[in-house]
Amino acid sequence: MGRSDITSSATAAGALEEEAYRLIRSALINGDFTPDSKLSIRGVCAALSLSPMPVRAALRRLVNERALDAKPSGTAVVPRMTRREFSELTAMRLQLEPLALTLAAPHLKPAQFERLDAFVAQHEAARLASDPTGVRQADTGFLFELYRSSGSALLLSFIESLWLRRSPMFWEARWALLGSSLGRAPHRHKEIMDALRQGQPDLARDFLVEEIRNAGEFLLEAMRFREATDW
């Protein structure tokens, strides 16, 4: 095999690893897994139609990023946070996500307002239909439409890192959250949109802070957390 063949092979392998990493990471952010889910190489390969080598490398990267845990057997597992870890994650979300909204507000165009409105309508329809998958998709779509509009790739990467740990917990609690959507942990997306249209980004930020804080407090009571000594 010549040098060009080796280089081509390495490039192809790197592309497959990146694809596997992107797909698994996106699934975690979108809430496709719950805490304690096991991600076997065979299962992931079957789901993504990829060969074992890039999947193994992608899982290793996500373990290194602490998006996944590795059991002594080598199995990758979606982590269940301790109560303290979840509180810390919520505290970090309360700093970074409102900042992204504030940075995004001056850059929102009519087309983005239309997409955001569509997510609000999708969320309401899914809530009325008791459809947690639709609620999850609308929630993620709405918030990341805003966060991407901040124009800060670095800030977005930090938020995505938090959501790698946040989303599995929220998906496990989907029925509790759906039942609380008019009570203790309501969404404030419509209020956020009204404030942004009225040129009041600080008010929109306050609504987002309220939403994140209320959901965090609700889940601290509703969720089962890992004890600090568990493994």
Side-chain angles (χ1 to χ4, degrees):
M1 180 181 291
R3 179 177 299 177
S4 62
D5 294 328
I6 294 174
T7 301
S8 177
S9 177
T11 300
L16 287 173
E17 177 187 329
E18 192 61 34
E19 180 184 7
Y21 171 79
R22 179 182 58 81
L23 289 172
I24 300 169
R25 192 173 188 270
S26 177
L28 287 165
I29 290 173
N30 290 334
D32 291 345
F33 301 103
T34 58
D36 304 323
S37 296
K38 295 180 179 180
L39 276 66
S40 69
I41 293 174
R42 178 180 297 178
V44 175
C45 287
L48 302 182
S49 300
L50 292 170
S51 58
M53 188 173 296
V55 168
R56 184 180 292 108
L59 291 175
R60 189 181 303 118
R61 283 175 65 180
L62 289 162
V63 168
N64 290 338
E65 294 175 6
R66 303 192 65 184
L68 298 173
D69 287 339
K71 294 294 186 181
S73 63
T75 301
V77 179
V78 178
R80 179 178 298 279
M81 284 185 283
T82 64
R83 192 172 296 274
R84 177 176 177 177
E85 287 170 339
F86 184 80
S87 296
E88 291 173 347
L89 180 142
T90 301
M92 287 184 279
R93 290 188 64 207
L94 284 167
Q95 295 298 316
L96 297 182
E97 294 181 39
L99 173 60
L101 183 151
T102 299
L103 294 175
H107 305 295
L108 294 174
K109 307 295 186 210
Q112 289 163 303
F113 275 105
E114 288 182 11
R115 289 194 292 271
L116 290 165
D117 286 337
F119 283 126
V120 172
Q122 178 187 340
H123 184 278
E124 179 63 10
R127 185 190 63 77
L128 291 173
S130 296
D131 173 14
T133 299
V135 168
R136 179 194 69 185
Q137 292 171 344
D139 179 52
T140 303
F142 178 88
L143 292 174
F144 276 92
E145 181 72 31
L146 278 176
Y147 302 158
R148 282 191 295 269
S149 299
S150 70
S152 174
L154 182 60
L155 179 56
L156 182 64
S157 71
F158 288 151
I159 293 172
E160 287 178 342
S161 295
L162 295 178
W163 275 57
L164 286 170
R165 300 296 295 266
R166 167 243 186 240
S167 294
M169 300 290 286
F170 273 64
W171 185 235
E172 183 174 71
R174 57 193 178 276
W175 293 111
L177 284 167
L178 190 62
S180 74
S181 62
L182 292 178
R184 293 182 52 202
H187 281 262
R188 292 288 184 243
H189 296 177
K190 184 179 184 304
E191 291 86 348
I192 290 170
M193 290 300 297
D194 290 342
L196 289 172
R197 278 200 168 87
Q198 294 164 9
Q200 297 180 291
D202 289 344
L203 180 59
R205 177 191 175 103
D206 289 344
F207 282 127
L208 179 58
V209 166
E210 179 186 349
E211 178 178 313
I212 295 171
R213 179 177 290 121
N214 286 348
E217 291 174 352
F218 176 80
L219 289 183
L220 278 173
E221 296 182 14
M223 283 291 293
R224 178 173 68 86
F225 292 91
R226 177 175 63 86
E227 297 299 326
T229 55
D230 287 347
W231 178 246

PDB file of all heavy atoms in Angstrom, residues 27-59:
ATOM      1  N   ALA A  27     -27.786  12.524  19.353  1.00  0.00           N
ATOM      2  CA  ALA A  27     -28.829  11.732  20.004  1.00  0.00           C
ATOM      3  C   ALA A  27     -28.882  12.019  21.498  1.00  0.00           C
ATOM      4  O   ALA A  27     -29.964  12.078  22.097  1.00  0.00           O
ATOM      5  CB  ALA A  27     -28.591  10.247  19.752  1.00  0.00           C
ATOM      6  N   LEU A  28     -27.730  12.208  22.128  1.00  0.00           N
ATOM      7  CA  LEU A  28     -27.695  12.530  23.551  1.00  0.00           C
ATOM      8  C   LEU A  28     -28.289  13.910  23.816  1.00  0.00           C
ATOM      9  O   LEU A  28     -29.090  14.096  24.743  1.00  0.00           O
ATOM     10  CB  LEU A  28     -26.258  12.466  24.070  1.00  0.00           C
ATOM     11  CG  LEU A  28     -25.657  11.068  24.216  1.00  0.00           C
ATOM     12  CD1 LEU A  28     -24.144  11.163  24.387  1.00  0.00           C
ATOM     13  CD2 LEU A  28     -26.276  10.334  25.397  1.00  0.00           C
ATOM     14  N   ILE A  29     -27.910  14.892  23.003  1.00  0.00           N
ATOM     15  CA  ILE A  29     -28.419  16.254  23.179  1.00  0.00           C
ATOM     16  C   ILE A  29     -29.926  16.295  22.958  1.00  0.00           C
ATOM     17  O   ILE A  29     -30.662  16.988  23.668  1.00  0.00           O
ATOM     18  CB  ILE A  29     -27.701  17.224  22.225  1.00  0.00           C
ATOM     19  CG1 ILE A  29     -26.235  17.409  22.659  1.00  0.00           C
ATOM     20  CG2 ILE A  29     -28.410  18.581  22.177  1.00  0.00           C
ATOM     21  CD1 ILE A  29     -25.399  18.209  21.677  1.00  0.00           C
ATOM     22  N   ASN A  30     -30.402  15.529  21.979  1.00  0.00           N
ATOM     23  CA  ASN A  30     -31.828  15.530  21.657  1.00  0.00           C
ATOM     24  C   ASN A  30     -32.662  14.731  22.643  1.00  0.00           C
ATOM     25  O   ASN A  30     -33.896  14.768  22.589  1.00  0.00           O
ATOM     26  CB  ASN A  30     -32.045  14.987  20.244  1.00  0.00           C
ATOM     27  CG  ASN A  30     -31.545  15.942  19.182  1.00  0.00           C
ATOM     28  OD1 ASN A  30     -31.480  17.148  19.398  1.00  0.00           O
ATOM     29  ND2 ASN A  30     -31.181  15.407  18.032  1.00  0.00           N
ATOM     30  N   GLY A  31     -32.013  13.991  23.536  1.00  0.00           N
ATOM     31  CA  GLY A  31     -32.760  13.241  24.532  1.00  0.00           C
ATOM     32  C   GLY A  31     -33.240  11.891  24.066  1.00  0.00           C
ATOM     33  O   GLY A  31     -34.301  11.417  24.491  1.00  0.00           O
ATOM     34  N   ASP A  32     -32.480  11.234  23.188  1.00  0.00           N
ATOM     35  CA  ASP A  32     -32.889   9.914  22.701  1.00  0.00           C
ATOM     36  C   ASP A  32     -32.585   8.799  23.688  1.00  0.00           C
ATOM     37  O   ASP A  32     -33.006   7.652  23.477  1.00  0.00           O
ATOM     38  CB  ASP A  32     -32.190   9.606  21.370  1.00  0.00           C
ATOM     39  CG  ASP A  32     -32.703  10.483  20.235  1.00  0.00           C
ATOM     40  OD1 ASP A  32     -33.768  11.109  20.404  1.00  0.00           O
ATOM     41  OD2 ASP A  32     -32.041  10.549  19.185  1.00  0.00           O
ATOM     42  N   PHE A  33     -31.845   9.102  24.750  1.00  0.00           N
ATOM     43  CA  PHE A  33     -31.484   8.100  25.752  1.00  0.00           C
ATOM     44  C   PHE A  33     -31.880   8.587  27.139  1.00  0.00           C
ATOM     45  O   PHE A  33     -31.954   9.793  27.392  1.00  0.00           O
ATOM     46  CB  PHE A  33     -29.976   7.822  25.735  1.00  0.00           C
ATOM     47  CG  PHE A  33     -29.457   7.337  24.421  1.00  0.00           C
ATOM     48  CD1 PHE A  33     -28.760   8.184  23.573  1.00  0.00           C
ATOM     49  CD2 PHE A  33     -29.656   6.027  24.020  1.00  0.00           C
ATOM     50  CE1 PHE A  33     -28.271   7.744  22.355  1.00  0.00           C
ATOM     51  CE2 PHE A  33     -29.177   5.573  22.802  1.00  0.00           C
ATOM     52  CZ  PHE A  33     -28.482   6.432  21.969  1.00  0.00           C
ATOM     53  N   THR A  34     -32.113   7.647  28.034  1.00  0.00           N
ATOM     54  CA  THR A  34     -32.366   7.965  29.432  1.00  0.00           C
ATOM     55  C   THR A  34     -31.141   7.576  30.251  1.00  0.00           C
ATOM     56  O   THR A  34     -30.297   6.797  29.794  1.00  0.00           O
ATOM     57  CB  THR A  34     -33.594   7.206  29.956  1.00  0.00           C
ATOM     58  OG1 THR A  34     -33.377   5.799  29.787  1.00  0.00           O
ATOM     59  CG2 THR A  34     -34.854   7.632  29.227  1.00  0.00           C
ATOM     60  N   PRO A  35     -31.003   8.108  31.468  1.00  0.00           N
ATOM     61  CA  PRO A  35     -29.888   7.703  32.325  1.00  0.00           C
ATOM     62  C   PRO A  35     -29.867   6.190  32.530  1.00  0.00           C
ATOM     63  O   PRO A  35     -30.915   5.539  32.583  1.00  0.00           O
ATOM     64  CB  PRO A  35     -30.180   8.434  33.641  1.00  0.00           C
ATOM     65  CG  PRO A  35     -30.986   9.616  33.237  1.00  0.00           C
ATOM     66  CD  PRO A  35     -31.836   9.149  32.096  1.00  0.00           C
ATOM     67  N   ASP A  36     -28.683   5.640  32.616  1.00  0.00           N
ATOM     68  CA  ASP A  36     -28.421   4.215  32.815  1.00  0.00           C
ATOM     69  C   ASP A  36     -28.554   3.403  31.530  1.00  0.00           C
ATOM     70  O   ASP A  36     -28.364   2.185  31.552  1.00  0.00           O
ATOM     71  CB  ASP A  36     -29.316   3.603  33.905  1.00  0.00           C
ATOM     72  CG  ASP A  36     -29.185   4.324  35.241  1.00  0.00           C
ATOM     73  OD1 ASP A  36     -28.064   4.741  35.575  1.00  0.00           O
ATOM     74  OD2 ASP A  36     -30.205   4.469  35.937  1.00  0.00           O
ATOM     75  N   SER A  37     -28.888   4.050  30.397  1.00  0.00           N
ATOM     76  CA  SER A  37     -28.929   3.326  29.131  1.00  0.00           C
ATOM     77  C   SER A  37     -27.524   2.852  28.761  1.00  0.00           C
ATOM     78  O   SER A  37     -26.554   3.599  28.891  1.00  0.00           O
ATOM     79  CB  SER A  37     -29.458   4.221  28.006  1.00  0.00           C
ATOM     80  OG  SER A  37     -30.788   4.600  28.232  1.00  0.00           O
ATOM     81  N   LYS A  38     -27.432   1.611  28.315  1.00  0.00           N
ATOM     82  CA  LYS A  38     -26.147   1.058  27.900  1.00  0.00           C
ATOM     83  C   LYS A  38     -25.987   1.193  26.397  1.00  0.00           C
ATOM     84  O   LYS A  38     -26.898   0.837  25.641  1.00  0.00           O
ATOM     85  CB  LYS A  38     -26.045  -0.413  28.308  1.00  0.00           C
ATOM     86  CG  LYS A  38     -26.044  -0.617  29.810  1.00  0.00           C
ATOM     87  CD  LYS A  38     -25.945  -2.095  30.168  1.00  0.00           C
ATOM     88  CE  LYS A  38     -25.926  -2.279  31.676  1.00  0.00           C
ATOM     89  NZ  LYS A  38     -25.838  -3.716  32.046  1.00  0.00           N
ATOM     90  N   LEU A  39     -24.847   1.712  25.974  1.00  0.00           N
ATOM     91  CA  LEU A  39     -24.559   1.887  24.556  1.00  0.00           C
ATOM     92  C   LEU A  39     -23.489   0.875  24.161  1.00  0.00           C
ATOM     93  O   LEU A  39     -22.288   1.139  24.271  1.00  0.00           O
ATOM     94  CB  LEU A  39     -24.083   3.312  24.262  1.00  0.00           C
ATOM     95  CG  LEU A  39     -25.172   4.375  24.061  1.00  0.00           C
ATOM     96  CD1 LEU A  39     -25.940   4.600  25.351  1.00  0.00           C
ATOM     97  CD2 LEU A  39     -24.569   5.679  23.594  1.00  0.00           C
ATOM     98  N   SER A  40     -23.941  -0.285  23.748  1.00  0.00           N
ATOM     99  CA  SER A  40     -22.990  -1.304  23.304  1.00  0.00           C
ATOM    100  C   SER A  40     -22.511  -0.967  21.894  1.00  0.00           C
ATOM    101  O   SER A  40     -23.228  -0.337  21.107  1.00  0.00           O
ATOM    102  CB  SER A  40     -23.646  -2.684  23.300  1.00  0.00           C
ATOM    103  OG  SER A  40     -24.625  -2.767  22.280  1.00  0.00           O
ATOM    104  N   ILE A  41     -21.308  -1.367  21.591  1.00  0.00           N
ATOM    105  CA  ILE A  41     -20.767  -1.112  20.251  1.00  0.00           C
ATOM    106  C   ILE A  41     -21.641  -1.788  19.202  1.00  0.00           C
ATOM    107  O   ILE A  41     -21.972  -1.191  18.172  1.00  0.00           O
ATOM    108  CB  ILE A  41     -19.313  -1.598  20.160  1.00  0.00           C
ATOM    109  CG1 ILE A  41     -18.416  -0.739  21.061  1.00  0.00           C
ATOM    110  CG2 ILE A  41     -18.820  -1.556  18.720  1.00  0.00           C
ATOM    111  CD1 ILE A  41     -16.993  -1.213  21.148  1.00  0.00           C
ATOM    112  N   ARG A  42     -22.072  -3.007  19.485  1.00  0.00           N
ATOM    113  CA  ARG A  42     -22.906  -3.731  18.523  1.00  0.00           C
ATOM    114  C   ARG A  42     -24.234  -3.015  18.293  1.00  0.00           C
ATOM    115  O   ARG A  42     -24.680  -2.851  17.161  1.00  0.00           O
ATOM    116  CB  ARG A  42     -23.168  -5.153  19.026  1.00  0.00           C
ATOM    117  CG  ARG A  42     -24.066  -5.970  18.099  1.00  0.00           C
ATOM    118  CD  ARG A  42     -24.290  -7.361  18.634  1.00  0.00           C
ATOM    119  NE  ARG A  42     -23.040  -8.116  18.708  1.00  0.00           N
ATOM    120  CZ  ARG A  42     -22.961  -9.363  19.182  1.00  0.00           C
ATOM    121  NH1 ARG A  42     -24.044  -9.973  19.628  1.00  0.00           N
ATOM    122  NH2 ARG A  42     -21.791  -9.983  19.209  1.00  0.00           N
ATOM    123  N   GLY A  43     -24.859  -2.564  19.367  1.00  0.00           N
ATOM    124  CA  GLY A  43     -26.148  -1.888  19.246  1.00  0.00           C
ATOM    125  C   GLY A  43     -26.048  -0.576  18.491  1.00  0.00           C
ATOM    126  O   GLY A  43     -26.896  -0.262  17.643  1.00  0.00           O
ATOM    127  N   VAL A  44     -25.002   0.196  18.800  1.00  0.00           N
ATOM    128  CA  VAL A  44     -24.815   1.479  18.120  1.00  0.00           C
ATOM    129  C   VAL A  44     -24.498   1.250  16.644  1.00  0.00           C
ATOM    130  O   VAL A  44     -24.992   1.975  15.772  1.00  0.00           O
ATOM    131  CB  VAL A  44     -23.709   2.306  18.803  1.00  0.00           C
ATOM    132  CG1 VAL A  44     -23.426   3.581  18.017  1.00  0.00           C
ATOM    133  CG2 VAL A  44     -24.107   2.658  20.237  1.00  0.00           C
ATOM    134  N   CYS A  45     -23.674   0.244  16.362  1.00  0.00           N
ATOM    135  CA  CYS A  45     -23.349  -0.068  14.957  1.00  0.00           C
ATOM    136  C   CYS A  45     -24.616  -0.393  14.176  1.00  0.00           C
ATOM    137  O   CYS A  45     -24.798   0.072  13.040  1.00  0.00           O
ATOM    138  CB  CYS A  45     -22.393  -1.246  14.892  1.00  0.00           C
ATOM    139  SG  CYS A  45     -20.705  -0.869  15.409  1.00  0.00           S
ATOM    140  N   ALA A  46     -25.491  -1.196  14.784  1.00  0.00           N
ATOM    141  CA  ALA A  46     -26.723  -1.575  14.105  1.00  0.00           C
ATOM    142  C   ALA A  46     -27.623  -0.369  13.883  1.00  0.00           C
ATOM    143  O   ALA A  46     -28.238  -0.212  12.824  1.00  0.00           O
ATOM    144  CB  ALA A  46     -27.456  -2.643  14.912  1.00  0.00           C
ATOM    145  N   ALA A  47     -27.691   0.510  14.892  1.00  0.00           N
ATOM    146  CA  ALA A  47     -28.572   1.680  14.795  1.00  0.00           C
ATOM    147  C   ALA A  47     -28.074   2.687  13.772  1.00  0.00           C
ATOM    148  O   ALA A  47     -28.875   3.333  13.082  1.00  0.00           O
ATOM    149  CB  ALA A  47     -28.704   2.337  16.165  1.00  0.00           C
ATOM    150  N   LEU A  48     -26.738   2.836  13.664  1.00  0.00           N
ATOM    151  CA  LEU A  48     -26.166   3.861  12.794  1.00  0.00           C
ATOM    152  C   LEU A  48     -25.621   3.306  11.482  1.00  0.00           C
ATOM    153  O   LEU A  48     -25.145   4.077  10.649  1.00  0.00           O
ATOM    154  CB  LEU A  48     -25.030   4.597  13.531  1.00  0.00           C
ATOM    155  CG  LEU A  48     -25.407   5.269  14.853  1.00  0.00           C
ATOM    156  CD1 LEU A  48     -24.192   5.988  15.429  1.00  0.00           C
ATOM    157  CD2 LEU A  48     -26.556   6.234  14.682  1.00  0.00           C
ATOM    158  N   SER A  49     -25.694   1.992  11.320  1.00  0.00           N
ATOM    159  CA  SER A  49     -25.159   1.343  10.106  1.00  0.00           C
ATOM    160  C   SER A  49     -23.687   1.686   9.903  1.00  0.00           C
ATOM    161  O   SER A  49     -23.252   2.033   8.802  1.00  0.00           O
ATOM    162  CB  SER A  49     -25.976   1.748   8.872  1.00  0.00           C
ATOM    163  OG  SER A  49     -27.326   1.359   9.011  1.00  0.00           O
ATOM    164  N   LEU A  50     -22.919   1.566  10.988  1.00  0.00           N
ATOM    165  CA  LEU A  50     -21.490   1.843  10.939  1.00  0.00           C
ATOM    166  C   LEU A  50     -20.726   0.628  11.435  1.00  0.00           C
ATOM    167  O   LEU A  50     -21.263  -0.245  12.108  1.00  0.00           O
ATOM    168  CB  LEU A  50     -21.151   3.065  11.817  1.00  0.00           C
ATOM    169  CG  LEU A  50     -21.665   4.414  11.334  1.00  0.00           C
ATOM    170  CD1 LEU A  50     -21.457   5.468  12.416  1.00  0.00           C
ATOM    171  CD2 LEU A  50     -20.970   4.836  10.053  1.00  0.00           C
ATOM    172  N   SER A  51     -19.445   0.586  11.110  1.00  0.00           N
ATOM    173  CA  SER A  51     -18.605  -0.516  11.559  1.00  0.00           C
ATOM    174  C   SER A  51     -18.098  -0.249  12.976  1.00  0.00           C
ATOM    175  O   SER A  51     -18.131   0.889  13.460  1.00  0.00           O
ATOM    176  CB  SER A  51     -17.424  -0.697  10.592  1.00  0.00           C
ATOM    177  OG  SER A  51     -16.678   0.499  10.504  1.00  0.00           O
ATOM    178  N   PRO A  52     -17.635  -1.281  13.658  1.00  0.00           N
ATOM    179  CA  PRO A  52     -17.267  -1.137  15.078  1.00  0.00           C
ATOM    180  C   PRO A  52     -16.159  -0.134  15.364  1.00  0.00           C
ATOM    181  O   PRO A  52     -16.213   0.574  16.374  1.00  0.00           O
ATOM    182  CB  PRO A  52     -16.833  -2.555  15.469  1.00  0.00           C
ATOM    183  CG  PRO A  52     -17.553  -3.444  14.519  1.00  0.00           C
ATOM    184  CD  PRO A  52     -17.594  -2.681  13.215  1.00  0.00           C
ATOM    185  N   MET A  53     -15.152  -0.048  14.501  1.00  0.00           N
ATOM    186  CA  MET A  53     -14.000   0.789  14.839  1.00  0.00           C
ATOM    187  C   MET A  53     -14.359   2.264  15.041  1.00  0.00           C
ATOM    188  O   MET A  53     -13.999   2.850  16.071  1.00  0.00           O
ATOM    189  CB  MET A  53     -12.909   0.636  13.778  1.00  0.00           C
ATOM    190  CG  MET A  53     -11.602   1.324  14.155  1.00  0.00           C
ATOM    191  SD  MET A  53     -10.264   0.969  12.977  1.00  0.00           S
ATOM    192  CE  MET A  53     -10.102  -0.806  13.219  1.00  0.00           C
ATOM    193  N   PRO A  54     -15.072   2.923  14.114  1.00  0.00           N
ATOM    194  CA  PRO A  54     -15.413   4.328  14.356  1.00  0.00           C
ATOM    195  C   PRO A  54     -16.373   4.513  15.533  1.00  0.00           C
ATOM    196  O   PRO A  54     -16.292   5.516  16.246  1.00  0.00           O
ATOM    197  CB  PRO A  54     -16.054   4.782  13.046  1.00  0.00           C
ATOM    198  CG  PRO A  54     -16.484   3.534  12.358  1.00  0.00           C
ATOM    199  CD  PRO A  54     -15.485   2.490  12.764  1.00  0.00           C
ATOM    200  N   VAL A  55     -17.259   3.556  15.747  1.00  0.00           N
ATOM    201  CA  VAL A  55     -18.183   3.652  16.882  1.00  0.00           C
ATOM    202  C   VAL A  55     -17.415   3.554  18.190  1.00  0.00           C
ATOM    203  O   VAL A  55     -17.650   4.319  19.135  1.00  0.00           O
ATOM    204  CB  VAL A  55     -19.264   2.555  16.795  1.00  0.00           C
ATOM    205  CG1 VAL A  55     -20.049   2.464  18.104  1.00  0.00           C
ATOM    206  CG2 VAL A  55     -20.210   2.837  15.632  1.00  0.00           C
ATOM    207  N   ARG A  56     -16.472   2.634  18.265  1.00  0.00           N
ATOM    208  CA  ARG A  56     -15.660   2.477  19.482  1.00  0.00           C
ATOM    209  C   ARG A  56     -14.889   3.767  19.772  1.00  0.00           C
ATOM    210  O   ARG A  56     -14.842   4.223  20.925  1.00  0.00           O
ATOM    211  CB  ARG A  56     -14.685   1.311  19.314  1.00  0.00           C
ATOM    212  CG  ARG A  56     -13.865   1.025  20.570  1.00  0.00           C
ATOM    213  CD  ARG A  56     -12.909  -0.138  20.362  1.00  0.00           C
ATOM    214  NE  ARG A  56     -13.610  -1.403  20.214  1.00  0.00           N
ATOM    215  CZ  ARG A  56     -13.732  -2.077  19.072  1.00  0.00           C
ATOM    216  NH1 ARG A  56     -13.199  -1.588  17.947  1.00  0.00           N
ATOM    217  NH2 ARG A  56     -14.373  -3.218  19.032  1.00  0.00           N
ATOM    218  N   ALA A  57     -14.313   4.358  18.734  1.00  0.00           N
ATOM    219  CA  ALA A  57     -13.558   5.604  18.920  1.00  0.00           C
ATOM    220  C   ALA A  57     -14.475   6.748  19.337  1.00  0.00           C
ATOM    221  O   ALA A  57     -14.120   7.568  20.196  1.00  0.00           O
ATOM    222  CB  ALA A  57     -12.821   5.960  17.628  1.00  0.00           C
ATOM    223  N   ALA A  58     -15.680   6.818  18.754  1.00  0.00           N
ATOM    224  CA  ALA A  58     -16.622   7.884  19.094  1.00  0.00           C
ATOM    225  C   ALA A  58     -17.085   7.755  20.538  1.00  0.00           C
ATOM    226  O   ALA A  58     -17.176   8.751  21.268  1.00  0.00           O
ATOM    227  CB  ALA A  58     -17.816   7.836  18.146  1.00  0.00           C
ATOM    228  N   LEU A  59     -17.375   6.533  20.976  1.00  0.00           N
ATOM    229  CA  LEU A  59     -17.794   6.325  22.366  1.00  0.00           C
ATOM    230  C   LEU A  59     -16.676   6.696  23.326  1.00  0.00           C
ATOM    231  O   LEU A  59     -16.921   7.289  24.391  1.00  0.00           O
ATOM    232  CB  LEU A  59     -18.221   4.869  22.569  1.00  0.00           C
ATOM    233  CG  LEU A  59     -19.517   4.434  21.862  1.00  0.00           C
ATOM    234  CD1 LEU A  59     -19.740   2.943  22.051  1.00  0.00           C
ATOM    235  CD2 LEU A  59     -20.715   5.222  22.385  1.00  0.00           C
TER     236      LEU A  59
END
